[in-house]
Amino acid sequence: MVSTGMPTSETAKPSDPRTLLTLHPLDPAARTWLDEAVARVTESPAAVRTLFPAARRRCGRARLDARWTVDEAARAVLLTALPLGGQPLADELAGLHRHGDPAEQRAVLRTLPLLGTPDGGDPAREPLGDLALPLVREALRGNDSGIIEAALGPYGAIRLPDAEYRQAVLKCVFYEIPLGRIDGLPTRADAELARMLADFTCERVAAGRDVPADIWPLVRPFPAADRLTDRLTAETRAAVPERRQAAQRALEALHQIASP
C-alpha cells in the first residue's frame, strides 16, 4: 500500500451511534418511546416501517458528532434491533431507503456497517454481505451530497469494487465533498485514481479554475504526479492568463511538501 499521507482521524473508526446516544441522554419521553419502539421491532420487524420515520419527531434532531444526529442514531438503534439477516434484512432496508426522506436514507446507509458484521450488530444474525450494495449504488447515482457521503461510509468503502469506488471519489470531488470524510481513501487510493484526479486537475486548469486542495495527497505518491507536472508546466505557457495562473497555483500545490 502506498501511503498518501492523508489524515485518517475522521474515518479510521467511525463512532457507534448507540454509544453516542448514551453520552447524549434522551429526555425521558424520547427514551421511553425508543425503548418501546425497540421492543416492538424485536417482536414484529414490520413495525419498523412506521417507527423508523417517526424517530425525528419523537427523539429530536440535535447533532451528536460530525456524522450522526439524534434521529439518525435512534433509527440506527431500531435497525440493529431487527431480528433479521441476509436477504430479508436487505429487503427491509431497501424498502425503508426507497420510501424515506434524505435523513432516513442517510440513517439506513450509515447503519449498514453495524448490521450482521463481526464488529457490530448480532453475531448470530445471517451476514448482510454485499446484499445492500444496490442501496449504495443508488445513493451514488443521486446528487444529494449528504447521501453520497453516507454511501461512502465503511460499508461502501469495503465492498464497492475498485472502479466504482474511484468513480465515487471523483464524484465527491465534483460535488466538493471534503475527501477527509470519505472512508477508505488512505488504503484504497491507487495509481488509477491518481490518474483520474490528474485528468480532472487539467480540466480545471484549462478552465482557469483552482483545484481542491484535498486531492493532492492522492496524486503525489503515484506516477501520475510526474506526468501532471509536465502537463501543468505546459499550461503555464498558455495564451489565456487565467489558465497560466491556475496552472502555476496547481504546480505549487502539487509540489508542496505535506506536513507530517
Side-chain angles (χ1 to χ4, degrees):
M1 179 186 73
V2 176
S3 173
T4 63
M6 290 190 69
T8 59
S9 58
E10 290 186 63
T11 58
K13 186 175 178 57
S15 50
D16 189 317
R18 297 163 294 189
T19 302
L20 290 175
L21 280 181
T22 65
L23 299 175
H24 178 90
L26 298 172
D27 65 56
R31 172 52 62 187
T32 297
W33 178 85
L34 184 57
D35 289 344
E36 292 176 352
V38 166
R40 288 178 59 190
V41 165
T42 303
E43 182 178 349
S44 176
V48 76
R49 300 169 194 172
T50 56
L51 294 168
F52 190 80
R56 172 166 286 191
R57 176 169 54 88
R58 304 304 292 263
C59 297
R61 62 178 72 186
R63 179 152 295 281
L64 296 175
D65 69 0
R67 289 178 183 257
W68 293 96
T69 58
V70 169
D71 57 308
E72 291 172 358
R75 287 168 175 147
V77 169
L78 294 177
L79 294 182
T80 56
L82 284 169
L84 302 173
Q87 193 61 55
L89 176 59
D91 291 343
E92 195 64 60
L93 295 172
L96 294 172
H97 187 273
R98 184 181 310 114
H99 299 295
D101 64 19
E104 293 165 41
Q105 293 176 348
R106 289 194 302 270
V108 170
L109 293 164
R110 286 180 174 146
T111 308
L112 293 179
L114 302 176
L115 299 173
T117 61
D119 59 350
D122 181 358
R125 175 167 35 199
E126 182 183 352
L128 186 59
D130 291 341
L131 293 172
L133 269 179
L135 298 184
V136 173
R137 292 180 172 122
E138 180 181 346
L140 291 174
R141 286 193 292 269
N143 57 12
D144 184 308
S145 60
I147 291 175
I148 293 170
E149 180 184 332
L152 287 172
Y155 180 90
I158 291 171
R159 297 184 179 276
L160 277 173
D162 288 341
E164 293 180 58
Y165 184 79
R166 294 186 198 107
Q167 287 294 337
V169 172
L170 195 61
K171 184 165 186 174
C172 289
V173 174
F174 276 106
Y175 277 80
E176 299 183 349
I177 298 171
L179 296 184
R181 299 178 186 172
I182 306 306
D183 284 87
L185 271 175
T187 55
R188 295 201 65 174
D190 61 9
E192 178 59 16
L193 177 59
R195 183 198 64 77
M196 294 166 67
L197 291 171
D199 289 344
F200 166 81
T201 296
C202 291
E203 292 172 6
R204 295 274 288 205
V205 167
R209 301 177 62 191
D210 285 328
V211 180
D214 52 4
I215 77 166
W216 301 121
L218 301 176
V219 176
R220 287 191 189 106
F222 298 100
D226 294 332
R227 295 191 291 272
L228 181 57
T229 295
D230 294 339
R231 295 164 74 182
L232 292 175
T233 299
E235 285 285 0
T236 62
R237 298 187 289 272
V240 180
E242 291 80 8
R243 288 177 66 169
R244 295 198 304 269
Q245 294 161 8
Q248 187 60 47
R249 290 193 295 269
L251 272 174
E252 292 171 358
L254 175 61
H255 294 145
Q256 182 179 0
I257 303 300
S259 300

